[in-house]
Amino acid sequence: VLVRDVENPRREVGLHDTAAAMQYIQDAAGPQAHFISGYAIDDTLGDNLQVTGIATGFRDTESKGF
């Protein structure tokens, strides 16, 4: 799972929000997922946090007959 976190360095909220977002993604991806994360700064975000996640390797539990 690739995760990119973009924040405004002057925002009111901090690491707690980033940790909550990462925990949400970890819970959805499962304990076997491998993570690569990145961090960027964007002064225009105000108090918002932007998180982008890209995941591959999902296994289909049903055979589609391909």
Side-chain angles (χ1 to χ4, degrees):
V1 179
L2 299 174
V3 180
R4 182 175 146 219
D5 169 28
V6 183
E7 298 181 15
N8 182 343
R10 292 182 285 259
R11 58 184 231 150
E12 295 283 327
V13 285
L15 189 57
H16 176 73
D17 292 323
T18 301
M22 290 300 291
Q23 186 62 52
Y24 180 84
I25 295 168
Q26 177 68 50
D27 291 346
Q32 299 289 332
H34 298 280
F35 281 81
I36 300 172
S37 62
Y39 177 78
I41 294 173
D42 184 346
D43 292 333
T44 66
L45 286 177
D47 284 340
N48 293 313
L49 168 69
Q50 182 184 55
V51 178
T52 303
I54 300 172
T56 64
F58 292 101
R59 293 194 179 117
D60 192 355
T61 58
E62 295 181 25
S63 174
K64 300 288 185 189
F66 296 119

